[in-house]
Amino acid sequence: MEFPDALFPSYFGTGPPREEGGPNPAAGWGEHGQVLEASPARRQAETAFVPRRGRTGESWEPADAAAVPFLLPNASCWIPSLAPQDILCRSTLRRKLRAGKSGAALDFTKQLGHFFVDHPEDAFGSLGQLLHKNFYLGNSKLRRPARSSTIRMTALMEEIDRLEARRGCPRQHLVSRLRWFSHLCRDWLFEVPLGLLADCVHEELLLQWASLLFDDSPTGGALAWLPPKDVGACVGQLVYPGGQAMNHLYFQDVVLEDLPRARGSPAHFELNGRIRQVAAAQVDGEDFVGVRSDYYCGVWRVPGRTGAAPAPLQVIRTGVPASCLTVSPHLPGELSVCTQSGAVYLWSVETGLQQLRHDPQTMFFRDHSPWRWSDFTAHPRVLSCADRTGLQCLDARAPERCHFDLFKVGEEAGCQQGERVVLPMYLGRAHPSQHLVTTQFSVYVLDERLPLVPVLKWAHMMKAPPLFAHLMPGGPGRSHKVLLGASRTQELLLLQYRGKRWGFFRRGGQSACQLAGPPQKLHSIAGCLQHLPAQLPHHHHLLQQRLSTPAAGLAAALQEDRPRESLLVFQLSEVGDVFCQRLTHEEEPCASPETSPAVPSPAAALRYRRWLKALSKGCREPPRHTWPPTIGQKRLFTRKELEVLAEPSALHGQVRQRLRQAMREGGRIQRWDSPAPQPPALLQPMGPAGGLDPLSTRLTAAWSGDWEQWWEDRMSFNIARRQRALRERRRRQKRARGRCSLSASFTSSLTYQSELSELSDAAPPPPSPGCPHVLSREDSPPAGSPRASASPDEALLSSQSLRCRGIPKERRKTLRDYLAVWAEGPPEPPEPPGSQASQLCIPSSQSQLSSASQPRRKRPRMGF
Amino acid sequence: SSHEHKLNFKKSKELCLSYIQDAVLQKQWKRAAEFLTFYIESLEKDFSREYVGPSEIIWRIGTEILCHHSRSSMKEFNSFIEQMKTLRVKRYLKVCLEHAFHLLCNGLIDEAYENLSVAESWRFGEQTVIQDKEMKLIRAYRGVLDYYSWSKQKNVLMERGQDGFEDLSVEQEMHSCFRKAAVNLKEIIKIPGVWDLFVKCYVDLLEFYGDHDEARQVLNEYAYNSKFPANPNAHVYLYEFLKRHGESKKSLISALKILHDTVPSHELMIEFNTMLQKSKKRKKRRLGLKVIFAALDYAGWKENVKAWSCLARQVKQIVISEKRLYWIKQEWNSRKDWWPAFHFSRYLAKKNWQENESLSHEKALVAGILLGKDCKYFKYVSHQGCKAQVKRFRILKKFVNKHNPVYLRISR
């Protein structure tokens, strides 16, 4: 590939960046940058100039009003991700914000408290057991002999509660009793020394906060497109992660049509950790797919024949989380891996790992980020390696000696102060010696042959740093297209640039790199919300949250064989939903200023409906982890024990019959009362009795435009009621679970999210005494009837009746618990049979998977 | 309260800006223009002490819209920019420069020249570093335009032939253009940067007036001053200059050697290799082999027939003479673990054979010598070639079979 005849003029300085200022909302517009003579050969004619930016590009118009779901929603029990309010001190935050300072105060004590509540065994295990007898939690006074060796904790607990209530009060002072207690036992009570534990919690808290501010683990994106092998074929493959913990890897055949369609069921692999990145490259007609999770990297080969199954080749394990995995476009089975310890490896499937560099320090100036990246260059033995401060190229044959600086955050590239490298990418498919580097402010195109001076620079003005990029090389006379994607804001930007010849000159020269046409914003996943059918408000809220989860990957496919060339862009979200959108190429850009259609096409609308249906189906099933644990009753009582009573009363017979029926139907007994006409329990309008009827007020509010306010009021009106219901439910659950599920206890850090679902669960049915009401499993979740044991069946379970049946005292409680559990929710269904095609590829002996997929980790907490 | 008012105003300003951004990014120029007219109001109460004030935002977005709006005209554009120039003094030079670029790209060279001249005479207090740089660029671009008019007049005179030079007025004007251009161009190329355009113009001027020493010095400075970026074009310009002036082979080779050291994948490496191969000195021929091997390391050269035939020719020569096989051996040593997969896979044999027969021929020769007659690439291509009854492939097969022991000596 020839070097351009002449480059655009630019100054070259050295040293740290001088230009200050942060993000500029318009920095990328209105500039031509520089100009260059267009045709040096024909000097006789009128000279023409071309700008570095601002030439017309190809016109690509969105074919639909919004992104369309490509696959059905990922069946994940979706855990809302950590939000700032979960780990920040609220009051402090508010105060600080008012003062205009951006410093954040982390709520360290709350998190430490959570740890003690959630993991009491780990926190106080042995001493807790030792001192078990010396603590008394009851209300009654202690008797004389016990008083000498037992402490009554109730008062202490009350004071703790009071302290909690006064939180944030300026006149808060410590209670002497608490002080005394903590002084007394600080040194010996804790299983892990308190200082050490606090350090760990604090460190984790800082890490979580840092990842909230900017999470670089998905850099590169976890979505890859494997183009059709034969020219003209329209079946490619999409590689994406899925499953609850995003630890399943799928290879899905995709038929490229107006709306791409999945063909057949995907090849499926279960991996041992959350998939962070999927990288792919084609060498010698075969695709190599690299998959990165935190501690494992794997490589698959997808043979060139259509329909051939992908084959796993090798897996490596890293001691420190890997931050990068790229696949060589030059040699089959070669990859490069970087870890957060600053090591860069060349990984060959045949010869194994070769460490090229190990340097925990950053290259050009000091930056705290452990993030490292590496990619291939025009020379198969030279790798680029990057950290936040810039890029260097290393020769794998002599990495210490042979290296040169490719990009520096500094005056060389005209960077701004505070600018950092976010994602480098080798643009080999467009031009063998060009590289893309994105920072939070700009995108740069670099040429290895002219290091340090970007051949193209553009301020992208994206709100979040672009973590994903995808290149679609253009053929002769066409522009190259680059898609940039941000994670948190789901932004997608299409850029075009040219670096091809535009005529034949003296040396058959090439033109310098130019940005072509105005950059274009594409649809984000969240943008389709307005085109979905109307939802109930809380469903709408849930849907909004689901659709606006951060993006996790980006891929695109070019369809050239159709009458109208089109571009399919796939976007993956963090919860594993894959959406796509199509852009069509307009031959004459200025002929029709076609804007994107306002409403989705019927085909798209159908997909929305299907997707929603599948989503609501997946959501209606209550998340498994909130179900109470079940107890096997087989070994509880012998038949003999149960058959003691000689003369069963009519009530007993009736109850037994109900019980049998319920077991036969696989349902459950909701209440031990007589069957009454079931009241319409669903979505009771919640409102005050007096005044207008709720519908009228609601409509009035909607008409006057403050419907939202109405909803807020309505919610707050119900807060008291809801709290009561929650408290009741919690008490009941505690009683029901007994000792077996301490860790699943309820604390105040429940997010709004789950409270909302609690609310909809707890639509209170009017209490009507009578016969037991049997709910079949298809019914809505059980109405939270806290008085399950306050019905006539009390007689059945009273200690007297149990005693007279000869049931020993210690089992009576178990039986009661058992029945309470039974009254509460259906038993856990058996595990769904695993997919046949699923293979456990990465050895799962390490507990990586369990920590990532633990469904119980619902509350955003410290990762213990 | 006024504080709240300010806050609201700021908020709505930001909102308006985000609407404009959205519209511009979706190429809805008309919508963007409408919002921009509202946004201009923000100039009235510019409380911001931010780095980027609304005047710059308006200039940038307005320019962008006017560049793409289907109904905008050059007249409108000019009047908008003239207003922008007075809006913010600090960015005056930048706006002028961009305005000139726009005029240049639309073929309005005289207007651009005028514009640059006006900008050049601008004075406003102490100049900042950026303004100084912008001023130098403005002068340099004006120099380039002067150069073009010089070149046009030169062509006029050349066309008229010998008698043309009697037209004194044209000649005088030409010389005055030269002076104006030379002064400004000379100024900017002293500062470190990428000045391909300016250097080329300046050297052309100097060459015409016979000032070769100055031209050579400028090019040397541009290529070898370590404060300048490692620009391959600087070496190319110097090399071409030396070639034009019939410099000795030695100086040509040394110029290209430096280019080879910085950019081994430069397209001039073929010329360099040919030059070296012709040399009588053993050392230079050896360098030639090194150069062509190094060039073929790069992905961009994979299918370059010229380069492969250079390598094939030289390898063949060495093999026939049976001397200095260790040259090949030494080059091959650092490549034998990855060249077979990179260049000589069966997939590539098939592909090269289908797409470019001569390429596959040259590559097969190299593969046959370096990897022996049993290598996949050679086997496939020679088989296909013989099957298709192409004579040169039969010769190739015979040659490789005859010299098969060479492979053993190289790979040992």
Side-chain angles (χ1 to χ4, degrees):
Chain A
M1 281 287 184
E2 285 129 6
F3 197 76
D5 253 356
L7 299 162
F8 285 103
S10 69
Y11 281 100
F12 180 77
T14 48
R18 250 165 262 155
E19 193 187 334
E20 40 187 311
N24 177 346
W29 288 321
E31 266 190 50
H32 289 85
Q34 299 286 335
V35 292
L36 206 56
E37 186 189 2
S39 54
R42 290 177 289 125
R43 203 154 281 166
Q44 292 84 356
E46 199 60 57
T47 351
F49 286 88
V50 285
R52 186 176 245 182
R53 196 184 105 58
R55 277 188 93 208
T56 49
E58 294 167 15
S59 165
W60 290 87
E61 299 299 335
D64 225 324
V68 180
F70 167 64
L71 298 166
L72 289 181
N74 180 32
S76 58
C77 76
W78 175 55
I79 304 156
S81 49
L82 187 78
Q85 60 264 31
D86 293 328
I87 56 171
L88 286 180
C89 287
R90 286 196 191 184
S91 50
T92 325
L93 175 73
R94 219 172 295 143
R95 227 177 299 142
K96 285 245 163 121
L97 279 180
R98 212 174 296 151
K101 284 175 204 153
S102 56
L106 297 169
D107 199 345
F108 166 71
T109 43
K110 191 168 97 182
Q111 296 303 327
L112 198 61
H114 281 321
F115 176 76
F116 292 145
V117 173
D118 285 354
H119 305 271
E121 279 301 308
D122 300 331
F124 317 106
S126 39
L127 272 161
Q129 266 165 21
L130 275 175
L131 296 174
H132 174 70
K133 283 180 190 154
N134 304 80
F135 286 111
Y136 177 63
L137 287 162
N139 274 322
S140 57
K141 287 223 161 155
L142 284 167
R143 295 275 157 86
R144 177 54 68 184
R147 210 193 278 177
S148 58
S149 63
T150 312
I151 310 174
R152 191 165 157 266
M153 298 297 288
T154 322
L156 213 58
M157 297 293 288
E158 275 167 10
E159 265 164 17
I160 290 174
D161 284 347
R162 240 174 281 146
L163 208 63
E164 188 61 35
R166 278 196 314 230
R167 187 162 231 207
C169 171
R171 303 203 49 188
Q172 175 183 26
H173 46 270
L174 274 174
V175 186
S176 57
R177 195 199 297 254
L178 284 176
R179 240 181 129 105
W180 162 78
F181 185 76
S182 69
H183 271 300
L184 196 67
C185 57
R186 181 183 288 161
D187 295 335
W188 49 264
L189 184 64
F190 301 95
E191 195 86 353
V192 184
L194 193 58
L196 188 67
L197 182 69
D199 275 350
C200 290
V201 170
H202 194 250
E203 197 186 314
E204 176 70 17
L205 205 57
L206 283 179
L207 275 177
Q208 295 274 353
W209 177 243
S211 81
L212 253 185
L213 291 177
F214 174 54
D215 183 11
D216 56 19
S217 61
T219 306
L223 194 63
W225 170 253
L226 313 181
K229 302 294 178 336
D230 315 313
V231 187
C234 56
V235 182
Q237 243 177 16
L238 195 68
V239 190
Y240 58 91
Q244 290 202 343
M246 295 288 274
N247 65 328
H248 293 250
L249 182 69
Y250 296 95
F251 292 81
Q252 172 74 60
D253 279 343
V254 178
V255 185
L256 296 176
E257 288 168 352
D258 269 356
L259 277 179
R261 179 166 59 79
R263 192 181 70 178
S265 56
H268 167 216
F269 298 87
E270 188 182 342
L271 311 190
N272 206 357
R274 187 190 174 90
I275 294 169
R276 303 280 186 190
Q277 190 198 345
V278 176
Q282 204 175 69
V283 192
D284 281 4
E286 289 184 317
D287 284 301
F288 288 85
V289 177
V291 175
R292 165 170 72 88
S293 63
D294 278 346
Y295 294 96
Y296 294 99
C297 294
V299 57
W300 274 256
R301 185 178 58 210
V302 186
R305 290 165 284 121
T306 33
L313 296 182
Q314 218 167 57
V315 176
I316 56 165
R317 189 177 163 218
T318 59
V320 184
S323 62
C324 154
L325 181 68
T326 46
V327 187
S328 168
H330 306 304
L331 294 171
E334 264 193 14
L335 300 98
S336 81
V337 186
C338 298
T339 67
Q340 288 185 356
S341 64
V344 181
Y345 297 93
L346 178 63
W347 172 22
S348 163
V349 171
E350 276 173 27
T351 58
L353 287 171
Q354 182 199 349
Q355 183 172 314
L356 302 184
R357 164 174 282 186
H358 183 97
D359 188 4
Q361 302 293 318
T362 44
M363 289 185 287
F364 301 113
F365 54 87
R366 196 173 297 169
D367 188 89
H368 62 87
S369 171
W371 175 87
R372 296 289 183 277
W373 195 264
S374 161
D375 208 335
F376 290 84
T377 68
H379 193 299
R381 277 285 157 273
V382 177
L383 271 75
S384 71
C385 61
D387 57 36
R388 296 271 176 237
T389 66
L391 267 84
Q392 262 188 354
C393 290
L394 305 178
D395 194 317
R397 295 167 295 187
E400 279 86 38
R401 278 186 296 115
C402 302
H403 56 80
F404 64 93
D405 302 342
L406 181 61
F407 177 80
K408 248 186 220 181
V409 172
E411 199 54 28
E412 289 87 351
C415 297
Q416 282 184 41
Q417 286 174 11
E419 195 163 345
R420 295 289 182 269
V421 174
V422 173
L423 173 75
M425 186 170 78
Y426 175 48
L427 297 175
R429 285 185 300 140
H431 190 292
S433 55
Q434 283 180 353
H435 296 255
L436 181 85
V437 173
T438 67
T439 66
Q440 74 270 44
F441 302 132
S442 299
V443 283
Y444 300 84
V445 176
L446 294 154
D447 195 308
E448 287 168 32
R449 297 167 295 181
L450 176 65
L452 297 176
V453 185
V455 290
L456 193 69
K457 175 185 176 177
W458 185 65
H460 55 64
M461 302 174 286
M462 286 167 87
K463 292 184 184 75
L467 284 181
F468 320 118
H470 186 96
L471 168 76
M472 284 148 293
R478 301 286 303 272
S479 63
H480 306 301
K481 280 140 281 245
V482 170
L483 281 167
L484 295 180
S487 172
R488 195 168 45 79
T489 51
Q490 296 185 351
E491 286 163 285
L492 267 185
L493 214 58
L494 173 69
L495 306 182
Q496 300 177 43
Y497 75 96
R498 280 171 207 273
K500 290 267 172 186
R501 64 195 66 201
W502 63 56
F504 291 95
F505 305 145
R506 281 167 302 173
R507 281 194 294 118
Q510 278 224 322
S511 76
C513 227
Q514 297 167 281
L515 201 67
Q520 199 177 337
K521 189 179 175 181
L522 308 188
H523 300 306
S524 64
I525 295 179
C528 76
L529 186 69
Q530 51 178 319
H531 301 292
L532 292 172
Q535 301 287 313
L536 288 170
H538 65 285
H539 280 166
H540 182 86
H541 180 76
L542 281 177
L543 196 62
Q544 193 179 19
Q545 282 208 325
R546 169 106 183 185
L547 290 176
S548 48
T549 47
L554 161 68
L558 203 61
Q559 287 173 275
E560 287 163 308
D561 51 324
R562 301 157 56 87
R564 244 166 133 194
E565 206 180 345
S566 63
L567 178 68
L568 281 163
V569 180
F570 297 93
Q571 203 178 6
L572 170 79
S573 81
E574 233 175 35
V575 283
D577 296 331
V578 181
F579 278 64
C580 71
Q581 57 191 300
R582 194 162 63 93
L583 300 163
T584 49
H585 182 212
E586 313 287 328
E587 288 302 331
E588 300 91 25
C590 43
S592 55
E594 198 178 319
T595 49
S596 75
V599 286
S601 64
L606 185 68
R607 286 219 178 175
Y608 287 133
R609 277 204 300 279
R610 270 198 209 142
W611 189 84
L612 262 185
K613 207 171 154 192
L615 182 73
S616 59
K617 210 169 155 190
C619 281
R620 207 184 311 148
E621 207 177 309
R624 240 181 275 159
H625 56 277
T626 61
W627 293 1
T630 53
I631 303 164
Q633 40 57 301
K634 269 187 191 155
R635 288 188 211 123
L636 263 179
F637 308 105
T638 60
R639 181 182 291 259
K640 221 174 176 180
E641 276 173 343
L642 288 169
E643 275 181 3
V644 172
L645 210 63
E647 247 178 63
S649 69
L651 180 65
H652 282 138
Q654 205 180 0
V655 164
R656 187 162 289 173
Q657 195 189 335
R658 298 261 164 215
L659 196 59
R660 289 225 178 89
Q661 188 194 343
M663 285 165 93
R664 208 167 35 241
E665 289 173 2
R668 59 194 164 198
I669 295 163
Q670 195 196 13
R671 256 193 316 273
W672 296 95
D673 47 24
S674 62
Q678 204 194 343
L682 278 173
L683 263 181
Q684 280 272 331
M686 313 158 283
L692 282 167
D693 67 300
L695 183 64
S696 309
T697 45
R698 182 176 174 171
L699 285 176
T700 317
W703 188 251
S704 59
D706 51 2
W707 186 85
E708 240 172 331
Q709 184 59 41
W710 175 85
W711 181 252
E712 288 291 323
D713 291 345
R714 187 51 57 104
M715 297 296 283
S716 61
F717 172 78
N718 280 296
I719 274 181
R721 195 155 150 198
R722 187 174 46 159
Q723 276 176 345
R724 222 180 308 128
L726 275 174
R727 215 172 291 137
E728 198 63 47
R729 196 181 145 100
R730 194 182 313 167
R731 199 178 309 145
R732 188 162 40 83
Q733 274 177 342
K734 263 188 192 156
R735 212 184 310 144
R737 282 180 199 154
R739 281 171 224 98
C740 34
S741 64
L742 268 177
S743 61
S745 68
F746 222 77
T747 70
S748 56
S749 80
L750 253 180
T751 55
Y752 167 65
Q753 179 64 40
S754 44
E755 272 179 43
L756 203 66
S757 57
E758 294 283 332
L759 172 69
S760 57
D761 280 355
S768 57
C771 266
H773 168 60
V774 179
L775 276 176
S776 75
R777 205 178 268 179
E778 282 73 35
D779 268 359
S780 60
S785 58
R787 315 238 120 247
S789 58
S791 316
D793 61 290
E794 192 77 316
L796 184 74
L797 294 171
S798 71
S799 357
Q800 286 94 338
S801 80
L802 289 174
R803 190 169 52 211
C804 77
R805 238 165 271 225
I807 293 170
K809 195 180 168 192
E810 63 271 17
R811 287 200 190 160
R812 271 175 229 153
K813 180 162 188 320
T814 323
L815 178 61
R816 243 179 267 132
D817 284 349
Y818 165 65
L819 285 168
V821 164
W822 194 232
E824 208 171 65
E828 199 164 342
E831 278 293 311
S835 168
Q836 295 271 315
S838 114
Q839 296 171 38
L840 199 67
C841 179
I842 294 176
S844 62
S845 58
Q846 314 300 332
S847 61
Q848 171 73 15
L849 171 67
S850 65
S851 71
S853 68
Q854 212 150 42
R856 205 169 349 103
R857 200 170 161 268
K858 175 173 183 174
R859 275 165 278 152
R861 283 276 175 78
M862 308 297 59
F864 285 98
Chain B
S1 70
S2 78
H3 179 70
E4 202 173 322
H5 174 72
K6 269 185 205 172
L7 270 184
N8 285 341
F9 184 68
K10 195 179 167 208
K11 234 184 233 170
S12 55
K13 212 170 75 180
E14 276 163 13
L15 200 66
C16 186
L17 185 60
S18 75
Y19 285 151
I20 298 174
Q21 271 186 317
D22 248 30
V24 171
L25 281 174
Q26 289 172 40
K27 300 200 261 182
Q28 299 165 345
W29 308 113
K30 199 164 159 261
R31 207 167 90 99
E34 279 165 17
F35 279 123
L36 187 67
T37 51
F38 297 127
Y39 188 77
I40 288 174
E41 210 180 301
S42 66
L43 279 175
E44 278 182 30
K45 293 166 188 160
D46 182 8
F47 302 118
S48 66
R49 260 175 249 125
E50 286 151 36
Y51 182 69
V52 185
S55 58
E56 176 162 351
I57 291 173
I58 290 167
W59 163 58
R60 285 183 177 278
I61 296 177
T63 311
E64 190 75 20
I65 293 171
L66 286 172
C67 280
H68 294 102
H69 201 292
S70 54
R71 294 223 317 266
S72 81
S73 66
M74 199 40 121
K75 204 178 143 202
E76 271 173 345
F77 188 90
N78 287 341
S79 76
F80 173 75
I81 294 291
E82 288 308 327
Q83 280 179 330
M84 288 300 116
K85 281 179 190 170
T86 55
L87 207 59
R88 201 163 175 216
V89 210
K90 276 186 187 165
R91 300 302 269 170
Y92 177 82
L93 291 177
K94 175 91 178 160
V95 177
C96 282
L97 197 58
E98 285 294 334
H99 188 194
F101 289 158
H102 188 79
L103 294 169
L104 284 176
C105 293
N106 285 284
L108 301 166
I109 303 211
D110 295 338
E111 286 85 341
Y113 186 85
E114 202 178 309
N115 217 297
L116 290 171
S117 307
V118 172
E120 209 178 326
S121 59
W122 180 77
R123 293 284 176 281
F124 178 78
E126 197 111 324
Q127 275 184 8
T128 62
V129 181
I130 295 174
Q131 281 171 342
D132 189 45
K133 280 183 170 178
E134 281 161 354
M135 187 57 102
K136 287 211 169 87
L137 267 179
I138 284 172
R139 291 205 185 113
Y141 274 107
R142 204 172 64 93
V144 169
L145 295 184
D146 279 327
Y147 164 79
Y148 285 136
S149 52
W150 169 84
S151 153
K152 216 191 272 172
Q153 276 147 5
K154 184 189 78 179
N155 286 331
V156 168
L157 290 178
M158 301 283 253
E159 265 167 35
R160 288 190 203 158
Q162 208 54 37
D163 10 308
F165 277 91
E166 282 156 27
D167 193 344
L168 269 176
S169 68
V170 177
E171 203 181 325
Q172 259 175 2
E173 205 182 319
M174 180 178 129
H175 293 322
S176 99
C177 279
F178 157 73
R179 275 190 297 276
K180 279 192 277 182
V183 167
N184 284 331
L185 292 174
K186 191 180 175 181
E187 198 63 29
I188 198 153
I189 57 181
K190 281 184 197 154
I191 306 161
V194 177
W195 309 125
D196 291 0
L197 176 64
F198 306 142
V199 167
K200 273 162 88 175
C201 294
Y202 188 51
V203 168
D204 196 28
L205 287 173
L206 293 176
E207 276 188 275
F208 182 81
Y209 288 100
D211 197 349
H212 298 309
D213 291 340
E214 167 85 3
R216 186 196 300 266
Q217 203 193 331
V218 164
L219 286 171
N220 265 316
E221 182 78 358
Y222 191 49
Y224 301 138
N225 188 337
S226 61
K227 281 186 181 150
F228 280 67
N231 183 354
N233 277 344
H235 300 277
V236 174
Y237 298 157
L238 180 65
Y239 168 73
E240 282 175 346
F241 175 82
L242 296 174
K243 216 163 93 173
R244 270 201 303 276
H245 293 275
E247 293 286 330
S248 66
K249 272 265 162 357
K250 200 179 156 194
S251 58
L252 290 180
I253 286 176
S254 76
L256 284 181
K257 173 77 171 60
I258 294 169
L259 180 62
H260 164 74
D261 289 341
T262 49
V263 188
S265 64
H266 199 276
E267 62 270 18
L268 277 181
M269 289 306 118
I270 289 186
E271 205 170 316
F272 188 34
N273 170 267
T274 334
M275 207 187 285
L276 290 168
Q277 269 196 52
K278 280 182 197 152
S279 170
K280 289 199 181 78
K281 282 189 185 154
R282 216 184 302 156
K283 213 171 142 194
K284 294 220 166 113
R285 289 209 304 279
R286 183 168 187 183
L287 179 64
L289 187 71
K290 206 177 215 151
V291 164
I292 200 70
F293 258 111
L296 284 168
D297 279 349
Y298 287 86
W301 289 72
K302 252 181 129 170
E303 289 172 7
N304 193 320
V305 191
K306 260 192 209 163
W308 278 108
S309 72
C310 282
L311 180 62
R313 199 182 328 138
Q314 200 165 0
V315 164
K316 207 168 155 181
Q317 268 174 17
I318 294 173
V319 169
I320 290 171
S321 69
E322 294 206 13
K323 274 184 225 156
R324 291 179 272 282
L325 270 175
Y326 66 94
W327 288 5
I328 303 180
K329 187 178 167 169
Q330 214 153 48
E331 292 304 319
W332 183 238
N333 251 344
S334 63
R335 295 181 169 88
K336 63 183 173 194
D337 56 334
W338 58 280
W339 264 41
F342 185 54
H343 284 308
F344 304 129
S345 69
R346 199 186 140 75
Y347 175 86
L348 282 176
K350 218 164 153 181
K351 189 170 169 252
N352 292 156
W353 169 256
Q354 277 166 4
E355 289 170 4
N356 193 339
E357 203 187 281
S358 358
L359 174 69
S360 68
H361 177 264
E362 306 296 343
K363 275 179 80 174
L365 175 71
V366 177
I369 288 169
L370 295 175
L371 290 163
K373 64 182 161 75
D374 292 328
C375 101
K376 279 177 268 178
Y377 194 95
F378 173 75
K379 253 168 106 174
Y380 181 86
V381 171
S382 62
H383 180 74
Q384 295 291 331
C386 292
K387 212 162 80 180
Q389 307 251 322
V390 186
K391 196 180 163 195
R392 58 176 169 168
F393 283 95
R394 227 175 292 153
I395 300 169
L396 166 74
K397 200 170 179 181
K398 225 180 259 172
F399 180 81
V400 170
N401 280 337
K402 188 179 158 199
H403 293 282
N404 201 42
V406 169
Y407 140 71
L408 295 170
R409 282 171 62 190
I410 291 170
S411 56
R412 222 173 334 164

